[in-house]
């Protein structure tokens, strides 16, 4: 079994978490084994790194390395083992967030981040990446200002560069990216996401829940 690895990317407030939850519910109703994880986060260590990253005083290079450390941990401890068991793994942000935020918006360089991503994940690439594309000013309005973390509180020009970084990655990796208009209602987005997941999943031997209960 090789599982199916699906990632969700986009600017702040684009609706990634909402769509991950809806997709998990739909796939589980259809009997699939689904694992949901997020970045930064996943296991206890990576969740600890998340807390440091979202509120601490972090330099750009340290920020990148902390995101990568959390990703290495999440990949080896959660994502790869679940894929090996035939699960559909849904990850809220992954390699493309580091390229867009640290590589492009922070200016550390797209290629250096891509190489470090390859090292951190031992070259694991998603089967499908949904890019929920939205003007960042709209996404930020969806999140209450008093709840903004250190990165959300960056200026609008930073978030505009993030969006451009994602769109450039989507063009470069069009075989796995699906760009969606994140202004569409959640139901319409969910239908499109589910249809595409089933198209790509056809022919793969994915674990059903009754098999894992044997
Ligand atoms: N980061 C992360 C990096 O800089 N580098 C990296 O390598 C990685 C992995 C993570 C932060 O870390 C940065 C990026 C981030 O700044 P986070 O808390 O996980 O922090 O931030 P987000 O992933 O952006 O999570 P958010 O919750 O802010 O945004 P979501 O998940 O995109 O949006 P969601 O689903 O929570 O929805 C937000 C609001 O919009 C509504 C929802 O009901 C909710 O109120 N909504 C919609 N409204 C209208 N139309 C729709 N289609 C809607 N869908 C949802």
């Amino acid at each position: 079994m090789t599982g199916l690895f699906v990632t969700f990317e986009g600017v702040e407030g684009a609706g990634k978490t909402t769509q991950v939850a809806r997709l998990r519910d739909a796939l589980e109703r259809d009997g699939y084994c689904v694992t949901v994880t997020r970045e930064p986060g996943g296991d206890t260590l990576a969740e600890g790194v998340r807390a440091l990253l979202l509120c601490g005083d972090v330099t750009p290079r340290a920020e990148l390395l902390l995101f990568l450390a959390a990703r290495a941990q999440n990949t080896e401890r959660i994502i790869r083992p679940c894929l090996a068991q035939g699960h559909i793994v849904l990850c809220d942000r992954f390699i493309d967030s580091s390229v867009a935020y640290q590589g492009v918006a922070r200016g550390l360089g797209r290629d250096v981040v891509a190489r470090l991503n390859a090292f951190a994940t031992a070259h694991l690439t998603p089967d499908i990446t949904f890019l929920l594309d939205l003007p960042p000013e709209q996404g930020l309005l969806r999140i209450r200002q008093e709840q903004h973390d250190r990165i959300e509180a960056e200026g609008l020009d930073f978030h505009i560069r993030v969006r451009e970084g994602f769109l450039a990655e989507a063009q470069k990796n069009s075989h796995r990216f699906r760009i969606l208009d994140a202004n569409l209602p959640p139901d319409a987005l969910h239908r499109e996401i589910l249809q595409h997941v089933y198209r790509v999943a056809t022919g793969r031997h994915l674990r059903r829940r009754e098999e894992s209960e044997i």
Side-chain angles (χ1 to χ4, degrees):
M1 284 194 181
T2 54
L4 185 73
F5 184 28
V6 184
T7 59
F8 288 77
E9 300 280 9
V11 296
E12 317 290 332
K16 300 172 295 297
T17 311
T18 303
Q19 292 303 326
V20 166
R22 297 186 76 151
L23 181 60
R24 179 200 53 213
D25 292 348
L27 293 169
E28 284 185 348
R29 268 197 308 276
D30 283 352
Y32 289 99
C33 289
V34 183
T35 297
V36 171
T37 183
R38 66 173 180 175
E39 293 215 343
D43 77 349
T44 315
L45 183 119
E47 290 290 336
V49 174
R50 179 186 181 90
L52 283 175
L53 272 164
L54 295 186
C55 59
D57 172 18
V58 192
T59 67
R61 281 165 195 257
E63 179 184 84
L64 171 62
L65 293 170
L66 285 168
F67 276 119
L68 291 165
R71 178 160 308 130
Q73 188 78 6
N74 194 24
T75 303
E76 197 167 329
R77 287 286 153 79
I78 309 235
I79 301 172
R80 280 193 188 275
C82 291
L83 289 174
Q85 288 174 45
H87 287 208
I88 300 178
V89 177
L90 311 181
C91 191
D92 194 338
R93 295 192 181 279
F94 194 59
I95 48 175
D96 305 299
S97 279
S98 294
V99 169
Y101 281 80
Q102 282 68 48
V104 177
R106 290 263 190 252
L108 294 177
R110 186 260 164 209
D111 290 345
V112 75
V113 175
R115 282 199 298 277
L116 290 168
N117 266 332
F119 174 76
T121 64
H123 298 274
L124 180 68
T125 315
D127 297 299
I128 308 172
T129 299
F130 291 108
L131 173 56
L132 290 161
D133 181 49
L134 188 71
E137 56 274 29
Q138 291 181 29
L140 289 166
L141 274 179
R142 290 179 181 176
I143 308 163
R144 296 228 319 268
Q145 196 152 11
E146 61 274 22
Q147 290 175 347
H148 282 187
D149 61 38
R150 184 180 63 85
I151 296 177
E152 283 161 352
E154 290 285 345
L156 185 58
D157 50 339
F158 176 89
H159 294 289
I160 289 171
R161 291 197 297 278
V162 169
R163 184 191 189 192
E164 289 167 356
F166 277 128
L167 288 169
E169 275 316 283
Q171 253 187 354
K172 217 182 266 283
N173 299 286
S174 55
H175 58 286
R176 70 174 161 92
F177 264 91
R178 193 92 185 164
I179 304 177
L180 303 170
D181 176 359
N183 258 320
L184 289 171
D187 281 352
L189 284 165
H190 172 65
R191 273 196 302 276
E192 200 170 331
I193 288 168
L194 191 60
Q195 269 175 16
H196 188 63
V197 167
Y198 279 134
R199 253 197 309 273
V200 177
T202 305
R204 289 189 189 226
H205 185 200
L206 297 169
R207 187 175 290 275
R208 315 288 290 206
R209 267 187 293 175
E210 55 275 20
E211 291 176 55
S212 55
E213 280 158 16
I214 293 169

